[in-house]
Amino acid sequence: MEPGEHREPGPGAETAAPRWEEDKTFYDNLAPKKKPKSPKPQNAVTIAVSSRALFRMDEEQRIYTEQGVEEYVRYQLEHENEPFSPGPAFPFVKALEAVNRRLRELYPDSEDLFDIVLMTNNHAQVGVRLINSINHYDLFIERFCMTGGNSPICYLKAYHTNLYLSADAEKVREAIDEGIAAATIFSPSRDMAVSQNQLRVAFDGDAVLFSDESERIVKAHGLDRFFEHEKTHENKPLAQGPLKGFLEALGRLQKKFYSKGLRLECPIRTYLVTARSAASSGARALKTLRSWGLETDEALFLAGAPKGPLLEKIRPHIFFDDQMFHVAGAQKMGTVAAHVPYGVAQTPRRTATPKQSPSTQ
């Protein structure tokens, strides 16, 4: 284990059910602690996260699917004093809060912070258990959106959302269609220690930070034509992809640390992890970022090699990719990976609308 790192309980790990005691100490532990004031949404970098991304709700989902909504709500009410176990987005959210603490130390009056919104189509009756869980883990999440079975997507713009993370792929597609950066988050296959003190975010390039222009060339004409196309257009920036704005927001916060002489101690670190080859197609990717006034701390060109082993060394809190093949490879090596359903690599969308679930968010 590296210095400054800890092991969070893995989303897939089995743990014994706690024996909760109905006494004053227990309820005191659930009571909200004094927390700083939330920033105004228009000033913050807003991360909307679904309840099933933040917490493990596998048993609750099973009850809803097999027994229906009334039994689901009854179960939640009966267990509302039992905190949920951490889900795949939990370490990411904890890292966001660690960055906020540093920013508040350096800029006490600034609202240029991360603001986390719990966005779920759960019923309001489930809200008490969610609140208890948030207080149990001492998370700073003040904004909730519980839509009682309706899709929460229409509220994302009202909350000035910079990134939406959900376990529901259909809701993520809806958000992408609305022009909102979004990804479906997946639990890793095994536990991996992540940094407590530095937020690490890894991005694929094409169809994530950049448009899918180059992927379309590969799909239509093959790799040789792709290399020729990239060389010819090396000095023409790629169009932006769905997560360009989120990288931009991270860069803005990084500069607040740089201006204090803390570049080497910055608690945010970003990575470009791409299947592109550096020699044949890497220059255009780097020049595109430069043209946007952006950079990543590290740029890793793999020339088609698997990404999972490299991500295991980086240990990011989250990795974004548009291809499920790379998402699955990252999961296998213990990385929390998020699928961005954008671009030519995506499978055709189902025409039937799936049944909405209060816990699929």
Side-chain angles (χ1 to χ4, degrees):
M1 187 177 298
E2 296 180 2
E5 296 187 346
H6 77 302
R7 292 189 182 274
E8 297 285 359
E14 294 184 2
T15 56
R19 297 179 60 183
W20 303 105
E21 297 182 0
E22 301 284 336
D23 58 18
K24 184 177 184 299
T25 301
F26 170 65
Y27 287 105
D28 285 346
N29 289 337
L30 288 180
K33 300 174 178 63
K34 186 176 181 180
K35 296 177 180 178
K37 184 179 178 182
S38 296
K40 295 182 178 65
Q42 62 269 29
N43 298 331
V45 178
T46 300
I47 311 298
V49 59
S50 73
S51 57
R52 197 156 64 96
L54 184 60
F55 297 119
R56 286 186 62 194
M57 303 178 70
D58 300 339
E59 177 64 14
E60 291 77 11
Q61 178 70 8
R62 184 191 65 78
I63 291 171
Y64 174 81
T65 302
E66 296 179 1
Q67 302 178 43
V69 65
E70 296 303 324
E71 185 62 23
Y72 166 83
V73 172
R74 186 192 67 78
Y75 179 89
Q76 294 281 33
L77 292 174
E78 288 181 354
H79 293 79
E80 68 179 17
N81 292 327
E82 299 178 17
F84 293 111
S85 297
F90 189 92
F92 176 64
V93 168
K94 293 288 284 186
L96 298 176
E97 295 190 342
V99 174
N100 277 354
R101 286 192 293 272
R102 293 286 305 279
L103 285 169
R104 287 190 172 101
E105 292 171 0
L106 296 172
Y107 302 92
D109 300 322
S110 175
E111 291 193 334
D112 202 2
L113 302 161
F114 292 111
D115 188 25
I116 301 150
V117 177
L118 188 69
M119 187 75 62
T120 175
N121 63 355
N122 260 298
H123 291 269
Q125 295 96 317
V126 183
V128 173
R129 190 177 184 193
L130 290 169
I131 291 169
N132 286 347
S133 298
I134 285 168
N135 289 333
H136 172 79
Y137 294 109
D138 197 25
L139 299 175
F140 183 45
I141 302 177
E142 297 293 325
R143 304 190 203 279
F144 274 42
C145 181
M146 294 178 284
T147 62
N150 292 327
S151 173
I153 301 304
C154 62
Y155 295 102
L156 291 174
K157 289 184 178 179
Y159 278 91
H160 298 266
T161 300
N162 296 90
L163 175 68
Y164 172 55
L165 296 175
S166 175
D168 187 324
E170 287 299 316
K171 296 296 180 295
V172 167
R173 284 182 180 271
E174 289 180 39
I176 290 284
D177 288 346
E178 291 294 320
I180 296 166
T184 309
I185 193 166
F186 293 90
S187 298
S189 300
R190 59 182 176 85
D191 295 345
M192 182 168 65
V194 292
S195 174
Q196 278 186 292
N197 305 314
Q198 185 180 64
L199 170 66
R200 300 176 187 175
V201 183
F203 299 89
D204 180 30
D206 295 294
V208 176
L209 293 178
F210 315 129
S211 73
D212 67 339
E213 169 195 326
S214 297
E215 288 190 348
R216 289 181 180 275
I217 298 294
V218 174
K219 191 175 182 66
H221 304 290
L223 278 174
D224 289 341
R225 180 69 67 84
F226 162 72
F227 293 141
E228 180 184 331
H229 177 269
E230 292 302 287
K231 190 65 177 177
T232 302
H233 296 84
E234 180 179 313
N235 294 311
K236 179 183 178 182
L238 290 153
Q240 72 178 47
L243 264 67
K244 180 256 188 178
F246 180 52
L247 176 62
E248 191 171 33
L250 293 176
R252 186 177 78 242
L253 294 183
Q254 283 180 309
K255 289 176 181 177
K256 294 175 76 71
F257 293 98
Y258 299 168
S259 68
K260 297 288 187 178
L262 297 173
R263 178 180 284 269
L264 297 180
E265 295 81 30
C266 182
I268 303 172
R269 192 164 184 85
T270 56
Y271 304 79
L272 173 65
V273 182
T274 174
R276 283 175 174 251
S277 167
S280 58
S281 56
R284 191 181 186 196
L286 296 178
K287 288 183 177 181
T288 295
L289 291 173
R290 184 192 302 166
S291 74
W292 293 343
L294 299 178
E295 60 180 310
T296 57
D297 294 291
E298 299 187 27
L300 307 169
F301 296 91
L302 303 187
K307 298 181 180 181
L310 200 66
L311 290 165
E312 185 181 23
K313 301 301 181 183
I314 294 171
R315 301 188 178 195
H317 292 88
I318 193 166
F319 164 61
F320 296 98
D321 203 291
D322 68 304
Q323 298 191 44
M324 282 302 301
F325 171 80
H326 292 304
V327 169
Q331 283 181 278
K332 184 178 180 180
M333 302 301 290
T335 297
V336 173
H339 178 240
V340 181
Y342 175 83
V344 70
Q346 307 311 308
T347 56
R349 187 178 307 201
R350 295 193 303 267
T351 55
T353 301
K355 179 181 180 181
Q356 286 188 351
S357 159
S359 61
T360 55
Q361 289 293 292

